[in-house]
Amino acid sequence: MAKQKNASDSITDRLDTLIRITQDLFILQALVAGAKVDDVRKALKINKWRVVNISKSLNLREAK
């Protein structure tokens, strides 16, 4: 039998989505302002690949 979702699961899912979107916006703004990928990653305590993937869309990542 499939597990039914309750109201708290729905709220948790929505909050997780809001957190992820807010982090993405922070990453974009920080990279546009000239912050380094590692600095952004450390500030948000997230994986480097996530910051790099977002930076690719901006073409701001420096070749290293």
Side-chain angles (χ1 to χ4, degrees):
M1 233 185 244
K3 185 178 176 183
Q4 288 185 341
K5 282 193 167 188
N6 58 23
S8 66
D9 289 341
S10 176
I11 292 171
T12 302
D13 290 342
R14 289 180 185 181
L15 289 174
D16 287 340
T17 302
L18 286 172
I19 289 169
R20 187 166 188 82
I21 291 170
T22 304
Q23 286 177 339
D24 289 349
L25 288 172
F26 179 86
I27 292 167
L28 286 171
Q29 290 298 315
L31 293 174
V32 167
K36 294 182 181 180
V37 171
D38 282 332
D39 294 337
V40 175
R41 181 196 64 79
K42 288 176 187 176
L44 295 176
K45 297 178 179 146
I46 58 174
N47 292 329
K48 186 175 181 177
W49 66 264
R50 187 165 166 214
V51 181
V52 170
N53 284 339
I54 292 173
S55 72
K56 284 180 185 178
S57 67
L58 295 174
N59 293 326
L60 293 176
R61 198 175 91 167
E62 298 176 58
K64 293 184 180 182

